[in-house]
Amino acid sequence: MKRCDIAITSWLSLHPELLSKHQNYVREKEGIKEEKPVFLVFHGGSGSSKKEYQDAISYGVVKVNLDTDLQYAYTEGIRDYMINKKDYVSTQVGNPDGQDKPNKKYYDPRVWVREGEKTMTKRVEEALKDFNTAGQL
C-alpha cells in the first residue's frame, strides 16, 4: 500500500484530535499496520497555538504551511521601523536632530527591508523550534 498525502486546511479552528481519527480510519479501511499510514499537510494554520501545531504533528502532519505568518512577521519589522522612525522617513531633509539633517540613511530601502528580514527570520526560528525541526537537515 502506498502512502498518500492529504491536505488539512484549518478554516476556523484546528482540531488535531480529528487527525488521529483519520489515521485510524485509513489504517482500518486499508488494512495497514503502520501507526500513521497517511502523510498530512497542514494548510492555513495562522492563529494556531504551539500546542495545536505539536499535536497535529504528533498525529502525522509532515508539512506545515506558514506563508501568512511569515508575511505578517516581515511586515511587522517594516511597520515598526517606519513608526519608530516616522520623523526621519517623512521627509528627505530635516528631523528631530536638525532642520538641515539628511534622512537618506533612514529611508534607504536596504535599511527598512532588513528590519522585515530580521522579524521574519525570528518567526522562522520560532517555528523550527515549535515543530521540533531546529538544527535538522
Side-chain angles (χ1 to χ4, degrees), residues 69-84:
D69 282 0
L70 297 180
Q71 288 177 16
Y72 187 75
Y74 189 86
T75 301
E76 282 180 308
I78 294 170
R79 178 203 63 208
D80 293 349
Y81 177 85
M82 292 296 181
I83 289 170
N84 291 329

Side-chain angles (χ1 to χ4, degrees), residues 88 91-95 98 100-107:
Y88 296 86
T91 61
Q92 287 185 8
V93 177
N95 59 52
D100 63 341
K101 299 293 183 181
N103 294 318
K104 183 174 178 155
K105 67 180 179 181
Y106 297 102
Y107 63 75

